[in-house]
Amino acid sequence: MRILIVNPNTTLSMTEKAAAAARAVAGPNTEIIARTSKSGPASIEGHYDGAIALPGVLTEIRDGEAAGADAAVIACFDDTGLEAARALARIPVVGLCESAVATAAMLAQRFTVVTTLERSRVLIENLVIRYGMSARTKVRAADIPVLQLEDKASPALAKLRCEIELALVEDGAEGIVLGCAGMADLARALQAEYGVPVIDGVSAAVKQAEALVSQGLTTSKRGSYAPPLSKSYSGLMSALAPISA
């Protein structure tokens, strides 16, 4: 099967990191195709960045499906554009946050998501509520700008460790979810260090995508994920106008 990994931001190194995490867990018959958005912000930190990233995300998913992808993963923990992408595509589209908290729920009664900035913490808390996991989940922000995760000389890892340690003591966390695709390369080492499950959203999403494809399941096209109605779109969005109902 072919799984498309779409990085909603425009930073190539983050795409490469997500692709490496995806290939590390993908089955032997799974091909990982990684794409970087061609328009939008260098990193996604909050609602505004997410909204600006949407056209680039949807374009990559549309083109990837047309090229033969069997499923798509949106490689941002904010699940940027996930609902719109599911309406656009017929193949399964999965997000990091939804996949990660579902995986964590199978491993721990209580778990903490450690993300980057406070604005992202609030956004992820809202996602956790939507996914029905708020009673079991705490969300913490480590005060890490996303692009610091690309700089090995930055204090990002030390800040992340500090927040994990607080989660284990103060939250009673039995597992940790890394709340940013830019942390994908850290999960295994942190799991060994702290002795609890540490879930990377990219890995969780790839395995979920594989499971859906293997079962022959696709996104429902009845109701909320029905294809967008055919109509004209103007200005910058004209390229994304639906061509059929």
Side-chain angles (χ1 to χ4, degrees):
M1 72 181 72
R2 306 178 77 197
I3 296 180
L4 174 69
I5 308 292
V6 177
N7 176 11
N9 71 47
T10 58
T11 300
L12 178 59
S13 60
M14 294 190 71
T15 307
E16 293 169 343
K17 184 184 293 185
R23 293 186 178 113
V25 299
N29 297 317
T30 297
E31 179 185 0
I32 299 297
I33 304 154
R35 296 288 182 264
T36 307
S37 180
K38 296 179 180 65
S39 65
S43 62
I44 296 177
E45 295 166 310
H47 294 290
Y48 185 82
D49 289 340
I52 299 302
L54 272 174
V57 173
L58 296 176
T59 298
E60 293 299 334
I61 288 176
R62 179 197 63 192
D63 294 349
E65 181 178 28
D70 297 298
V73 171
I74 298 177
C76 176
F77 206 86
D78 293 358
D79 286 354
T80 306
L82 180 58
E83 305 289 0
R86 285 175 172 165
L88 173 68
R90 293 189 177 275
I91 59 174
V93 183
V94 297
L96 303 196
C97 181
E98 186 173 23
S99 298
V101 298
T103 300
M106 300 177 198
L107 303 171
Q109 278 293 323
R110 291 201 56 80
F111 49 91
T112 295
V113 178
V114 182
T115 189
T116 51
L117 298 175
E118 177 65 13
R119 64 185 64 198
S120 297
R121 183 189 68 79
V122 176
L123 192 158
I124 291 167
E125 277 188 346
N126 290 335
L127 287 178
V128 167
I129 291 168
R130 182 190 304 174
Y131 299 147
M133 291 289 183
S134 58
R136 299 171 63 178
T137 312
K138 173 86 173 180
V139 184
R140 288 177 169 269
D143 190 30
I144 303 169
V146 169
L147 294 178
Q148 266 195 12
L149 292 163
E150 302 302 289
D151 179 5
K152 300 299 184 184
S154 80
L157 183 55
K159 290 181 177 181
L160 179 60
R161 281 197 177 101
C162 180
E163 216 58 44
I164 289 172
E165 290 161 10
L166 290 173
L168 296 174
V169 174
E170 297 180 1
D171 305 345
E174 301 166 6
I176 299 294
V177 174
L178 300 179
C180 178
M183 300 173 182
D185 58 333
L186 304 175
R188 295 292 178 93
L190 292 170
Q191 180 167 286
E193 182 175 350
Y194 291 106
V196 297
V198 176
I199 295 95
D200 152 46
V202 175
S203 302
V206 166
K207 299 313 289 185
Q208 187 62 60
E210 285 183 326
L212 294 173
V213 174
S214 295
Q215 294 173 82
L217 297 172
T218 57
T219 301
S220 174
K221 289 299 155 185
R222 179 177 182 178
S224 60
Y225 295 142
L229 298 174
S230 182
K231 66 189 74 171
S232 64
Y233 281 33
S234 301
L236 295 174
M237 304 304 169
S238 58
L240 285 168
I243 58 175
S244 62

